[in-house]
C-alpha cells in the first residue's frame, strides 16, 4: 500500500491511537495491489460514528451517509470516507438493506461486500486482511461474489451491473457461478434506479475491456437497454461488414477514446439499424435513414436513463451525423468543415471525426480505408483552426450593429446580410477583415 496518501495513514494512526481498529478497505486496496491508481480512499473502523467525530473533532468531517455509518474526512486537502464496521439485514426491495447494524467484527464487515477482490482490508500493523481469498482472485483475474452469488445478487441487483462494470474496467472474467447468478437474476435490474444504472453503464463503457463485456453479457445489459437485443445477431448482409450490428458497435466502442460522450455515441451509432433494415433483390442489406431513426432512439434512451440535457443533445447529434459525409467530393472541403465546426463546436467536431474513424475501423478489413479520409479532414480542420477562420456569424470581424450603423434596417435583413458575408468568408471570396467586410456589406445592401 505504498501509494496510500500520508493523510490516510495519519487518519488510520489517529483512530488506532484512540483505541479503535482501522483499515483501508475495498477499491483502494484492490487497485493498489493491481498497481492502479485508486478512485478514492475508504477507511473502515470499529469506532462508532460519534467516536469517529470525537477522534477528528476540529477537522472537517462531513456527514455524507451517517445513517449507514459513513462520514467524509478532509485532512490537508485529501478526502476519505470513514465507515463504521457494519452488517446488513434482509433486503426486501432488491436494492437497500432493511436495516444496517454496526458490528465489532472486521470479518463481518468484509463479508457484506460484493466481490472477493473488494473485500480486502489493509493496515500498516496488520498488513493485508483477506478472509475470502481476494488476492487469489486478483492474481487469477476473476470476479467472484463473497458468499452465495444468487443470494448476494438477490439482495442488491446493482451488484449485477457492478460485476459487469468491474469486468470491463479490470479486464477480469466473471467466475462461473457468479456469472450464472447474474444472468438468472438479470430482470431484477428493473428495480434499480435509472441514475445508478446510467452511472454504472458509463463506467462499463469507458472500461478497457468494454467490447468483450458487451458481447458476452448483452442479454443482461438488454434489461436496462432493450434496444441492444435486436442489434445482437442482426446480419448486415453486406460485403463491407464482417460483424453483426452489435459486434460492429462494440468494436466501435473499443476504437474511440474512453470518455462518456464518445463511448455512448459509438455504442448507439447504429441503434437505428434494426428498425430500418431492408434486403434488396440481390440479397444485400440496407438501412436507409438509420442515422435519423438512431438519433431519435438515442435521445429517448439517454433521457430515460436520466442523463443531463447537454449529454443527451451532444450524443444524439453524434449519432445523427455519424454517417454524414463531412467533405463530399463536390464542393469545398474547407467550407463543409467550417460549417460543421460552426454547428457542433470544435470539441464535438473532433468527436465526430473520432466516431467516424472508429466506425470505419469496425468494418470488414478490406473496407477500412475511410479511416484515412478522417485523418485528412482532421489535418484540414486543424489547419483552419490555426488560421482562426470564421465558423459562425459571431466569428466575423463585423457584427449586426456595424451593419445597422451602415444604414441596413434593423430586423431580418441584418441576419441575412451577416449570413451572406459568412458564406463569402468561408468560401475565401472575401477576407475576414473589418474594412473589407464593411465594403462588401455596403455593396450587397445598397449596391454602392
Ligand atoms: P471504484 O471506486 O473504483 O469505482 P470501489 O470498489 O471503490 O470502486 P465503491 O462504489 O467506491 O467501489 O465502493 C467501495 C467498496 O464498498 C467496494 O469496494 C465494496 O467493498 C463496497 N461496496 C460498494 N457497493 C457495494 C454493493 N452494492 N454491495 C456490496 N458492497 C459494496
Ligand atoms: Mg471507491
Amino acid at each position: 500500500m505504498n501509494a496510500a496518501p500520508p493523510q490516510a495513514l495519519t487518519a488510520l494512526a489517529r483512530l488506532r491511537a484512540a483505541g479503535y481498529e482501522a483499515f483501508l478497505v475495498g477499491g483502494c486496496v484492490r487497485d493498489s495491489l493491481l498497481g492502479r491508481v485508486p478512485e478514492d480512499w475508504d477507511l473502515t473502523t470499529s469506532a462508532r460514528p460519534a467516536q469517529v467525530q470525537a477522534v477528528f473533532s476540529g477537522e472537517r468531517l462531513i456527514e455524507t451517509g451517517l445513517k449507514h455509518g459513513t462520514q467524509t474526512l478532509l485532512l490537508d486537502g485529501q478526502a476519505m470516507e470513514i465507515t463504521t464496521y457494519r452488517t446488513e439485514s434482509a433486503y426486501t426491495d432488491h436494492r437497500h438493506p432493511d436495516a444496517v447494524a454496526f458490528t465489532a467484527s472486521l470479518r463481518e464487515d468484509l463479508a457484506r461486500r460484493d466481490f472477493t477482490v473488494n473485500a480486502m482490508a489493509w493496515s500498516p500493523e496488520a498488513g493485508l486482511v483477506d478472509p475470502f481469498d481476494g488476492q487469489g482472485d486478483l492474481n487469477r483475474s476473476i470476479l467472484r461474489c463473497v458468499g452465495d452469488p444468487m443470494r448476494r445478487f438477490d439482495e442488491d441487483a446493482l451488484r449485477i451491473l457492478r460485476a459487469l462494470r468491474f469486468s470491463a474496467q479490470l479486464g477480469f472474467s466473471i467466475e462461473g457461478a457468479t456469472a450464472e447468478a447474474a444472468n438468472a437474476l438479470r430482470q431484477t435490474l428493473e428495480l434499480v434506479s435509472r441514475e445508478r444504472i446510467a452511472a454504472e453503464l458509463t463506467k462499463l463503457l469507458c472500461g478497457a475491456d468494454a467490447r468483450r463485456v458487451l458481447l458476452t453479457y448483452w442479454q443482461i445489459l438488454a434489461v436496462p437497454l432493450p434496444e441492444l437485443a435486436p442489434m445482437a445477431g442482426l446480419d448486415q448482409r453486406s460485403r463491407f461488414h464482417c460483424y453483426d450490428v452489435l459486434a460492429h458497435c462494440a468494436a466501435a466502442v473499443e476504437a474511440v477514446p474512453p470518455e462518456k460522450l464518445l463511448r455512448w455515441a459509438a455504442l448507439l451509432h447504429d441503434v437505428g439499424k434494426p428498425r430500418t433494415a431492408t434486403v434488396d433483390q440481390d440479397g444485400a442489406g440496407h438501412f436507409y435513414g438509420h442515422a435519423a431513426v438512431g438519433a431519435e432512439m438515442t435521445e429517448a434512451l439517454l433521457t430515460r436513463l436520466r442523463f443531463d440535457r447537454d449529454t443527451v443533445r451532444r450524443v444524439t447529434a453524434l449519432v445523427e451525423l455519424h454517417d454524414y459525409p463531412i467533405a463530399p467530393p463536390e464542393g469545398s472541403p474547407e467550407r463543409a468543415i467550417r460549417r460543421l465546426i460552426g454547428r457542433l463546436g470544435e470539441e464535438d467536431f473532433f468527436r465526430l471525426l473520432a466516431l467516424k474513424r472508429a466506425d470505419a475501423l469496425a468494418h470488414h478489413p478490406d473496407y477500412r480505408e475511410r479511416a484515412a479520409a478522417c485523418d485528412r479532414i482532421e489535418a484540414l480542420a486543424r489547419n483552419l483552426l490555426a488560421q482562426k477562420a470564421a465558423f459562425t456569424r459571431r466569428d466575423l470581424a463585423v457584427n449586426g450593429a456595424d451593419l445597422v450603423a451602415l444604414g441596413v434596417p434593423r430586423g431580418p435583413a441584418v441576419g441575412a446580410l451577416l449570413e451572406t458575408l459568412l458564406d463569402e468568408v468561408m468560401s475565401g471570396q472575401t477576407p475576414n477583415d473589418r474594412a473589407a467586410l464593411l465594403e462588401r456589406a455596403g455593396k450587397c445592401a445598397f449596391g454602392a
Side-chain angles (χ1 to χ4, degrees), residues 61-386:
L61 197 62
I62 306 152
E63 301 185 354
T64 28
L66 206 50
K67 239 184 11 195
H68 303 106
T70 302
Q71 304 177 81
T72 303
L73 173 67
L74 260 172
L75 270 189
D76 293 334
Q78 171 71 48
M80 54 206 123
E81 286 206 337
I82 305 182
T83 305
T84 302
Y85 293 167
R86 60 174 223 225
T87 58
E88 290 163 359
S89 61
Y91 291 67
T92 37
D93 67 352
H94 302 279
R95 181 67 194 96
H96 304 97
D98 297 341
V100 169
F102 297 129
T103 163
S105 154
L106 172 62
R107 195 195 148 95
E108 277 183 11
D109 179 84
L110 294 176
R112 75 167 167 91
R113 294 173 183 271
D114 45 7
F115 305 108
T116 60
V117 296
N118 289 347
M120 294 183 275
W122 178 90
S123 76
E125 299 81 10
L128 192 68
V129 180
D130 179 17
F132 306 105
D133 194 26
Q135 201 169 27
D137 285 339
L138 266 193
N139 293 336
R140 290 182 287 269
S141 301
I142 283 178
L143 283 164
R144 179 199 310 271
C145 281
V146 174
D148 171 24
M150 283 298 277
R151 207 187 113 206
R152 302 314 307 283
F153 289 144
D154 191 47
E155 285 171 355
D156 179 359
L158 184 67
R159 289 174 188 153
I160 296 172
L161 222 45
R162 282 173 61 86
L164 270 50
R165 182 261 278 200
F166 286 121
S167 177
Q169 284 182 321
L170 304 173
F172 283 20
S173 57
I174 305 178
E175 174 270 333
T178 298
E180 264 174 44
N183 194 44
L185 294 174
R186 63 182 191 267
Q187 290 303 337
T188 56
L189 279 171
E190 285 171 0
L191 302 163
V192 178
S193 85
R194 289 167 176 181
E195 291 85 348
R196 298 300 296 262
I197 295 219
E200 289 298 328
L201 288 175
T202 297
K203 287 182 187 175
L204 187 164
L205 287 175
C206 292
D209 225 4
R211 178 183 185 174
R212 176 185 53 82
V213 171
L214 285 166
L215 293 182
T216 313
Y217 299 110
W218 65 265
Q219 281 166 310
I220 296 176
L221 294 169
V223 174
L225 302 175
E227 292 87 347
L228 297 187
M231 296 161 71
L234 180 60
D235 183 348
Q236 313 215 45
R237 296 174 188 273
S238 153
R239 64 189 151 84
F240 300 111
H241 282 283
C242 53
Y243 301 123
D244 68 39
V245 175
L246 183 64
H248 165 70
C249 289
V253 164
E254 185 169 81
V256 291
E259 52 128 61
K260 177 170 82 173
L261 299 180
L262 268 175
R263 289 271 163 127
W264 274 105
L267 177 68
L268 299 175
H269 79 277
D270 277 348
V271 73
K273 280 192 170 174
R275 284 199 195 158
T276 54
T278 53
V279 180
D280 68 20
Q281 291 158 336
D282 303 325
H286 300 281
F287 305 94
Y288 299 114
H290 77 275
V293 170
E296 267 178 42
M297 293 173 71
T298 297
E299 185 172 23
L301 182 157
L302 295 177
T303 305
R304 184 178 80 224
L305 289 181
R306 313 269 196 270
F307 278 99
D308 60 276
R309 294 181 62 84
D310 185 59
T311 301
V312 176
R313 183 180 58 76
R314 295 167 72 179
V315 176
T316 301
L318 290 171
V319 171
E320 187 185 339
L321 293 171
H322 81 268
D323 222 16
Y324 172 87
I326 292 186
E330 70 284 0
S332 140
E334 280 91 350
R335 186 153 182 237
I337 292 168
R338 289 181 211 223
R339 280 273 177 217
L340 211 48
I341 293 181
R343 171 170 169 195
L344 292 176
E346 199 178 316
E347 285 181 13
D348 285 359
F349 173 81
F350 287 111
R351 284 199 175 89
L352 180 63
L353 277 184
L355 177 62
K356 291 178 76 69
R357 191 181 286 118
D359 186 6
L361 293 174
H363 276 66
H364 187 284
D366 291 349
Y367 298 98
R368 292 181 184 172
E369 74 285 347
R370 274 190 308 142
C374 294
D375 297 341
R376 284 193 294 278
I377 290 176
E378 169 142 9
L380 277 176
R382 300 252 177 237
N383 206 3
L384 286 173
L385 286 162

